[in-house]
Amino acid sequence: MARFRLPPYAILGGKPVRPHARQAEFHKCEALYKYFRGGAGSGKSLAGAWEFLRRIMSNAEYISRQGLEPGINYIAGAPTAKLVKFGPWAHMLRIIRAAADHNGFSLLAHKPWETPPQRLELITGDTIYFVTLQDAEMFAAMNAGGAWYDEAELAPNPMEGWNALSGRVRDPRLPPERQFMLATSTPCGYRGLTAHFADMEAANNPQYAVIQAKNSDNPSMTEEYRRRLSSGMSERERRQVLDGALETEDGAVYGLEFDPSASIDQGYKWGFKARPGHEYFWAIDWGGSYHGLLIEHSRLIPGTERVDPLGGYDTVFDEVVMDDVQDEAFLEELRAKTAEVGLEWSDLKAWADYNPRDAVYLANQKRFFDGRCYTRRVGPDADKESGINTVRGRLLDYEGKRRLRFAPALRHTDSERRILRCMTSYKRLDATVDGQTVRLGVNQKSPWSHGPDALRAYCWPRYVMYRISSRRAA
């Protein structure tokens, strides 16, 4: 292998070129779990193929030096067979064939296996399997040294494929620091791998890294091509498709106000005791799916002793999420969580959804909130939209101020429908009228509705009057 020389990274205008800056950053990064998140034409799949081959060859040298039995398996996957064919399969063959022209010998020990599962057998003894993540059983029993998931976010459930691949990366001949996973994709909102990697980075996990690239980072992409590609797109879609930017999903109720980064109170740490001058509340949504949000409230403008003229500031710092329990069990869990975080139950108040009335009645009994659970009936006169707009104004007002934020710890609470996921997944219902898509009211049957509804039950009665006074003053 000492005689092997890498071919040119790519050819542009008939001349060999090196990786562009974002691709070079991706290759330089030594994290074991790397995500190249790029726009269309940004060179993400090419970078994925090169990095995949680089790590395979590095591991082959390690196995040889250690005198271990050669023959490591690797998996390159994509959501569909078509994406496998035109992504990992095409890019890997192109690089390997270019390497053969450059060196005078091929890395392939045999002709490519075209029938499923497609595979490339290398002269190192290693085998690269190319699979669709629609059929995870195809590689269910395999031990692999590494994996690459291309166009991951196009899958209906990106994390399902990622986890399936991750479960295979376990070849005992390689130490943990050589067992790697790569992802390359254009994002589709704050979901899937994008959300997963954001969680890992928020936890300061050094094994995870994201490199973002725009179409314009690739020198082979022209302005004319970008204009053609973006023809008919909205600006939101253009930013996502060409720039690889994180855009809220279509129909997200708080898509313009909630930001997965800016809405986080980055310096907030709960000290497990009440802070002087602050109040504490539970925001509650009832039903078969329950959501309770623990909120710290201050009347003062942060960093000052001045009272905020628009109601003060709130930080959601903990939550309780439960399904298919009785009201009493949920309320007991709220009491337990209150004690766990170091607060006195008798010092807390609650704002809750008006219905069901039995739940509110129970909450106000002496053994629970003892009359300190407040509600406001949502009437027929656009009250729900008024509540939503009140939450919006708290998340981000017209001056760019965020009076409702979330503690970083909420990225790591146990539930899959934790509040930070709810805020990006809470959507409107769509209907088709005369061939046109019309966006209707919010989808109250969605599992993502309960956290935002708890916020609405808290914010609307407490802060709607500031919206009214602002409009009258205008």
Side-chain angles (χ1 to χ4, degrees), residues 102-116:
H102 200 62
N103 289 278
F105 66 91
S106 177
L107 286 176
L108 295 179
H110 304 284
K111 289 178 61 176
W113 291 81
E114 299 276 0
T115 54

Side-chain angles (χ1 to χ4, degrees), residues 210-229:
V210 177
I211 287 81
Q212 181 174 331
K214 300 179 180 179
N215 174 282
S216 56
D217 289 322
N218 187 346
S220 69
M221 296 292 107
T222 65
E223 284 299 324
E224 176 59 28
Y225 174 81
R226 279 189 280 275
R227 279 194 295 272
R228 288 203 312 271
L229 193 63

Side-chain angles (χ1 to χ4, degrees), residues 328-340:
E328 185 173 2
F330 175 66
L331 289 166
E332 290 289 0
E333 191 64 25
L334 295 188
R335 287 195 67 132
K337 174 62 73 172
T338 301
E340 179 185 316

Side-chain angles (χ1 to χ4, degrees), residues 1 30 32 51-74 122 124 126 144-147 169 171 173-181:
M1 296 308 299
E30 291 302 320
L32 294 181
E51 184 66 15
F52 195 43
L53 183 60
R54 182 183 78 85
R55 297 224 177 187
I56 290 171
M57 300 303 288
S58 175
N59 280 348
E61 290 185 5
Y62 170 84
I63 290 292
S64 177
R65 288 196 307 268
Q66 298 298 316
L68 299 172
E69 181 183 356
I72 304 292
N73 293 321
Y74 295 91
L122 307 183
T124 58
D126 302 320
V169 179
D171 194 302
R173 286 169 290 179
L174 294 173
E177 63 272 15
R178 285 189 167 272
Q179 299 179 22
F180 65 91
M181 289 191 65

